[in-house]
Amino acid sequence: MSARLVDSDITLLIAVLGGVADISKPTVAELTAGVNLTCAVVAGYDLGMDASEEITGKGVCDKGKVVNFGDANYKGSLQFFLEGEDEATAATSAYVAAEEFFTTRGIKFDLFRRIGKASDVPIAATDKVEGYGFVTDYPQFASGADASGYAMFTQPLAQQSRFTDGKVAVVATSGG
């Protein structure tokens, strides 16, 4: 039996306001300057590639339908916990940092996910990440009156035709 990677504190989610210069070659500096959302995100978030558009047709000589892949699709919707301590700031709380980042509709950013290292390990050159470009819709706040009792907000995201082709390596500098 082979070893398996367990998804427990091995994910890092970083949002870069306005996006990085080249989504296929994010730099350590660009990602380090981003907002680390990891600890504020509710488990079970929705982020990643989705089924591509399908182009179907049948040529005169084809004996059956032909399907080809068209535009690529990806998706994203994040849910966040809200901070419960009045004195917390974005510098001390991932919850406050997320709430201050996602304030309204129309915020453009790139969201990067690294899987395989503890979330508190800083980004390094050669780390592998996935990147997705989004623009925000309005944040949707919940009262916390549900069964869990947690106050949360959901951040719907719209694709911006900007994504990495699978996992890409983080580069040391923009010339890398």
Side-chain angles (χ1 to χ4, degrees):
M1 180 179 277
S2 63
R4 296 181 182 156
L5 194 58
V6 178
D7 190 6
S8 176
D9 192 32
I10 59 157
T11 299
L12 179 66
L13 295 166
I14 296 176
V16 179
L17 185 62
V20 298
D22 182 345
I23 199 157
S24 295
K25 295 179 183 176
T27 67
V28 171
E30 288 172 321
L31 296 182
T32 300
V35 177
N36 183 341
L37 303 172
T38 311
C39 293
V41 175
V42 176
Y45 63 92
D46 195 7
L47 176 68
M49 296 307 295
D50 205 2
S52 295
E53 298 295 321
E54 290 185 355
I55 302 168
T56 60
K58 182 178 175 184
V60 175
C61 295
D62 292 328
K63 294 187 186 285
K65 179 171 73 172
V66 175
V67 178
N68 287 297
F69 291 115
D71 292 339
N73 288 316
Y74 58 96
K75 58 187 173 180
S77 181
L78 304 174
Q79 191 172 37
F80 297 93
F81 291 110
L82 292 172
E83 179 60 66
E85 301 293 329
D86 292 338
E87 65 278 0
T89 66
T92 62
S93 167
Y95 311 126
V96 174
E99 187 177 2
E100 288 182 359
F101 187 88
F102 296 110
T103 55
T104 190
R105 182 180 190 178
I107 299 168
K108 291 183 180 181
F109 69 102
D110 288 340
L111 183 59
F112 288 88
R113 173 171 56 187
R114 178 188 72 190
I115 298 175
K117 291 184 177 180
S119 61
D120 59 354
V121 173
I123 284 285
T126 72
D127 281 355
K128 302 279 190 195
V129 296
E130 301 167 299
Y132 305 95
F134 290 108
V135 65
T136 60
D137 197 358
Y138 293 107
Q140 301 165 356
F141 291 87
S143 68
D146 64 3
S148 72
Y150 289 113
M152 297 184 264
F153 75 97
T154 299
Q155 183 55 69
L157 306 172
Q159 308 94 322
Q160 294 300 294
S161 188
R162 202 175 141 77
F163 58 95
T164 58
D165 189 8
K167 291 182 181 180
V168 297
V170 175
V171 296
T173 63
S174 58

